[in-house]
Amino acid sequence: MSQADRQSNNVDITQGKSASASVFESAEKHFDDAAKVLKLTMNQIATVKKPRRSVIVNLPVRMDDGTIHVFEGFRVLHNKARGPGKGGIRFHPDVSLDEVQTLAFWMTFKCAVVGIPMGGAKGGVICDPGKMSDRELENLTRRYVAELFEVLGPDVDIPAPDVGTNARVMGWIMDTYSMQVHRHTPSVVTGKAIELEGSAGRDGATGRGLLYCVRRWAGYPAKQLHGLTVAVQGFGNVGSWSARLLSEDGCRIMGLSDISGAYVSKDSGIDIGAAQEYAKKHKSLDGFERSGNVTKLKHPKEILEMEVDVLVPAALENQITHQNAGKVKARLVAEGANGPTTYDADRLLAERGITVIPDILCNAGGVSVSYLETVQNRMGYYWNEERVNYDLEEIMNRAFDTVRDTATKYEITMRKAAYVVGIQRVVTSSEFRGLYA
Ligand code: NAD
């Protein structure tokens, strides 16, 4: 397998183990560190660490050429102490049970950090949506819901979009579930189109939550973001919204990257509107250097080492590793992606005095607005975007302040503090519930 193939297959070539295995190890180590700060007992750890349910399904789907292909899919409910499971569904060739379990684990503590009454869950199907027709994707999605019908539901486990899935897929989920229960049930899934009782503001919510975190870090509104320089890795939902909103707030976006490469500004910053238009038209930033305002870096990962104030990794896991953490020059790493920094790299960044706003806080805007979507679905009454953004800002600011105060209290990093806050809340809810026997 070539290096390019290994990278595209999401294999961590720096450590010779699969990316999903190493993110799981990182997540466990962070959990154990926080458990020590909280002095948790073995009983408490046992109650909240392991997933409560992992389901594997084989999904026979009729393809356009008449053949039947059997896809492997997963749904993991990590914890339900604080509410029904909540978490996206990933359609990607590299999905594995390990990866889905790690993502579900993060969802539990992410929901707890932002204080929403939901547990942690995640799903995935091993498939390549880019190579499937709409009909094949619809058949796969409906079969996934039919096979997992008993473990999904508004009071059980509520899916949402993730890498490879979108509002269209969420619509098929809502329709399949509603047909099965013979009842209109929009609250079974979030991230739906506005026309299908989705929430205003959901599309940009993760980037907006990240913006609120960066503002809080910078002491906003006392200190404006005006003039801060930023580099963003990944230009999908999270990366493009983060870049756009930070730029609207006065930041200068000096570098952008996606799967096609990394592009850096030749002058005072990249025009994000132009980059978005280009990416929409060409389906990626490939060739964007010909627009005149930017040059393309020879090594795309060098975007992580740019001389900027704020670095936003918003693409994949395991991007900042022990190999490049020493070269990061940003003062702040605002994690848009899940698990972009390995455990060892996180320690190196801390030693170098670089602040990291960790994923389970920094990218929690998406799940927060998913929660607001569920609330609206249950009421059957819909807010405008201004109202949704207002609530999101309240949620993010409160969570940021709690994590920052916890970091100060225990003299620990924001990452460790976020785990401390999340784990403490899940443990407390579990203890109030007690064990059903
Ligand atoms: P997406 O599929 O919309 O975008 C991913 C982007 O990363 C694309 O621009 C792609 O070209 C780019 N990319 C892929 N490989 C790359 C590489 N090697 N180098 C640079 N760029 C690369 O996905 P998304 O929804 O934006 O999610 C990105 C990350 O954020 C994931 O880790 C996801 O789990 C996490 N996340 C997403 C949300 C959400 O609301 N979408 C919420 C929380 C966390």
Side-chain angles (χ1 to χ4, degrees):
M1 195 188 278
S2 71
Q3 175 154 321
D5 289 343
R6 287 160 70 93
Q7 272 172 336
S8 72
N9 283 338
N10 203 15
V11 171
D12 179 3
I13 54 173
T14 60
Q15 298 181 15
K17 55 175 90 148
S18 80
S20 56
S22 66
V23 285
F24 187 60
E25 275 172 28
S26 280
E28 283 213 311
K29 284 182 186 166
H30 287 308
F31 179 98
D32 294 342
D33 286 349
K36 274 188 207 136
V37 174
L38 286 166
K39 298 188 175 60
L40 293 189
T41 64
M42 292 313 284
N43 281 348
Q44 289 171 319
I45 291 173
T47 319
V48 301
K49 195 170 172 182
K50 293 256 178 270
R52 298 298 281 270
R53 173 169 64 212
S54 300
V55 184
I56 303 177
V57 284
N58 288 305
L59 309 166
V61 174
R62 191 173 302 282
M63 308 303 279
D64 290 345
D65 64 4
T67 59
I68 291 178
H69 186 92
V70 182
F71 293 89
E72 192 174 16
F74 313 97
R75 187 73 193 171
V76 173
L77 176 66
H78 177 263
N79 192 284
K80 54 181 180 175
R82 292 173 49 85
K86 184 83 201 98
I89 299 178
R90 186 171 285 198
F91 281 1
H92 194 274
D94 302 327
V95 164
S96 66
L97 183 58
D98 260 0
E99 179 185 61
V100 176
Q101 284 180 338
T102 308
L103 290 162
F105 169 97
W106 278 326
M107 287 306 298
T108 296
F109 303 111
K110 190 182 294 187
C111 291
V113 166
V114 285
I116 61 177
M118 289 180 153
K122 204 82 182 188
V125 178
I126 305 172
C127 66
D128 191 345
K131 293 189 178 146
M132 294 169 69
S133 70
D134 277 359
R135 196 162 79 170
E136 289 169 342
L137 276 176
E138 179 174 350
N139 290 346
L140 172 63
T141 306
R142 290 187 184 278
R143 188 74 197 203
Y144 179 87
V145 177
E147 292 286 350
L148 289 165
F149 175 68
E150 278 97 11
V151 297
L152 300 178
D155 300 313
V156 185
D157 183 349
I158 308 166
D162 192 71
V163 176
T165 56
N166 54 23
R168 186 110 197 265
V169 174
M170 300 307 114
W172 294 327
I173 293 175
M174 186 270 220
D175 182 66
T176 310
Y177 189 89
S178 296
M179 295 303 287
Q180 293 262 0
V181 295
H182 304 291
R183 217 165 276 122
H184 179 71
T185 316
S187 54
V188 68
V189 68
T190 60
K192 303 177 294 290
I194 300 280
E195 295 77 5
L196 216 53
E197 300 181 61
S199 176
R202 174 62 186 88
D203 200 29
T206 306
R208 188 170 291 282
L210 184 143
L211 166 76
Y212 295 147
C213 285
V214 176
R215 280 184 180 175
R216 215 65 178 169
W217 165 81
Y220 186 91
K223 187 179 161 202
Q224 302 285 323
L225 299 192
H226 197 80
L228 283 187
T229 53
V230 179
V232 182
Q233 184 198 38
F235 203 58
N237 174 289
V238 182
S240 65
W241 274 101
S242 301
R244 174 172 153 185
L245 295 171
L246 285 164
S247 156
E248 284 173 8
D249 234 39
C251 293
R252 286 186 289 138
I253 312 298
M254 305 309 292
L256 281 181
S257 76
D258 72 359
I259 189 75
S260 70
Y263 307 86
V264 299
S265 170
K266 282 184 187 165
D267 42 51
S268 56
I270 298 174
D271 176 346
I272 298 304
Q276 280 185 313
E277 237 172 72
Y278 188 95
K280 196 172 168 199
K281 189 166 168 199
H282 300 272
K283 304 234 179 314
S284 86
L285 291 169
D286 197 13
F288 187 50
E289 71 276 17
R290 288 193 286 276
S291 72
N293 172 254
V294 294
T295 47
K296 189 171 182 178
L297 289 178
K298 203 163 168 202
H299 302 291
K301 275 187 111 178
E302 282 173 8
I303 192 158
L304 303 169
E305 301 163 17
M306 282 182 71
E307 196 106 34
V308 286
D309 296 304
V310 182
L311 174 63
V312 180
L316 304 170
E317 297 94 2
N318 288 344
Q319 295 303 297
I320 306 175
T321 67
H322 65 286
Q323 289 184 320
N324 59 5
K327 297 181 195 157
V328 170
K329 296 177 193 71
R331 291 190 287 135
L332 175 73
V333 177
E335 293 187 334
N338 285 313
T341 311
T342 65
Y343 182 82
D344 293 341
D346 196 52
R347 293 176 76 128
L348 273 169
L349 295 178
E351 279 165 27
R352 297 185 55 227
I354 297 170
T355 302
V356 178
I357 308 178
D359 45 9
I360 60 170
L361 167 64
C362 199
N363 70 31
V367 75
S368 300
V369 173
S370 275
Y371 163 62
L372 299 178
E373 183 175 333
T374 304
V375 171
Q376 294 169 78
N377 290 156
R378 290 184 176 196
M379 289 191 300
Y381 180 75
Y382 290 88
W383 303 326
N384 62 22
E385 189 174 345
E386 200 182 10
R387 166 72 204 268
V388 172
N389 291 347
Y390 177 85
D391 278 11
L392 173 63
E393 187 166 10
E394 291 270 305
I395 291 171
M396 295 305 297
N397 286 350
R398 201 168 43 230
F400 186 97
D401 291 352
T402 305
V403 170
R404 189 198 45 212
D405 294 348
T406 305
T408 308
K409 177 177 166 193
Y410 291 106
E411 297 181 358
I412 54 180
T413 61
M414 293 273 289
R415 164 116 46 217
K416 209 182 266 190
Y419 274 86
V420 164
V421 171
I423 293 169
Q424 177 69 75
R425 287 179 176 167
V426 177
V427 166
T428 305
S429 298
S430 300
E431 291 185 340
F432 271 116
R433 290 180 74 129
L435 267 193
Y436 178 77

